[in-house]
Amino acid sequence: MGILDKIVEFKRKRYTNNVRATCSSCGSDLKVNGKSIVNSNTILKDNVNFNGMTIQGNGKVTIGSNFHSGIECMMITDFHNYEGDAIPYDSTVISKEIIIEDNVWIGNRVIILGGSHIKEGAIIQAGSVVVGEIDKYAIAGGHPAKEFKKRNIEHYEKLKKEGKFH
């Protein structure tokens, strides 16, 4: 193993340890390949893979098993109150939960806003902004992310039954 490989491996271990130390709970086989920040209300299931994730805010974030993210992704749980005592917003912070079910893959630079729920097996196209709910097996993209295709459900269920997870 060369010096560059050793540096990369050192960073991966440090990133993984930082995420594990910060989150509320963490399943087995966490992999953090790029600088990632989570909040203390983050729950990670098994085989979660971050390639550069920032979870901003204090809201609860639940990420299911076999999750994969691209680089430079964000989850934002907190919002300013624009209907409060000042313009453009007051000092009130509103936190909303984010739920991501099992086997979800999000591409590079995806933003997921508080109040979103991404259901099992969904894929989110790079550069998308998720606001609200994404259905099971959906392939979605855009601003806001909308479903434009479904996975091959029979193939997905076959692989799931066989335990073929990356």
Side-chain angles (χ1 to χ4, degrees), residues 128-132 134 141-147:
S128 298
V129 178
V130 178
V131 180
I134 302 294
H143 305 241
K146 299 287 183 200
E147 179 180 326

Side-chain angles (χ1 to χ4, degrees), residues 5-15:
D5 293 329
K6 288 180 182 179
I7 292 169
V8 168
E9 186 59 29
F10 173 79
K11 285 185 175 185
R12 284 181 181 154
K13 285 181 182 177
R14 188 178 70 201
Y15 297 152

Side-chain angles (χ1 to χ4, degrees), residues 6-57:
K6 288 180 182 179
I7 292 169
V8 168
E9 186 59 29
F10 173 79
K11 285 185 175 185
R12 284 181 181 154
K13 285 181 182 177
R14 188 178 70 201
Y15 297 152
T16 300
N17 290 338
N18 287 345
V19 168
R20 188 175 281 119
T22 306
C23 68
S24 172
S25 68
C26 182
S28 64
D29 206 20
L30 172 66
K31 295 178 193 79
V32 183
N33 297 312
K35 184 176 181 185
S36 297
I37 300 166
V38 300
N39 70 23
S40 61
N41 293 318
T42 301
I43 298 168
L44 305 174
K45 302 294 183 175
D46 298 328
N47 192 32
V48 169
N49 296 267
F50 290 147
N51 289 300
M53 172 65 68
T54 299
I55 298 177
Q56 179 181 328

Side-chain angles (χ1 to χ4, degrees), residues 84-96:
D85 298 336
I87 296 174
Y89 54 84
D90 67 16
S91 60
T92 306
V93 175
I94 301 167
S95 296
K96 293 187 178 180

Side-chain angles (χ1 to χ4, degrees), residues 94-106:
I94 301 167
S95 296
K96 293 187 178 180
E97 181 176 16
I98 295 173
I99 300 170
I100 300 176
E101 295 182 9
D102 293 345
N103 311 318
V104 169
W105 172 27
I106 64 173

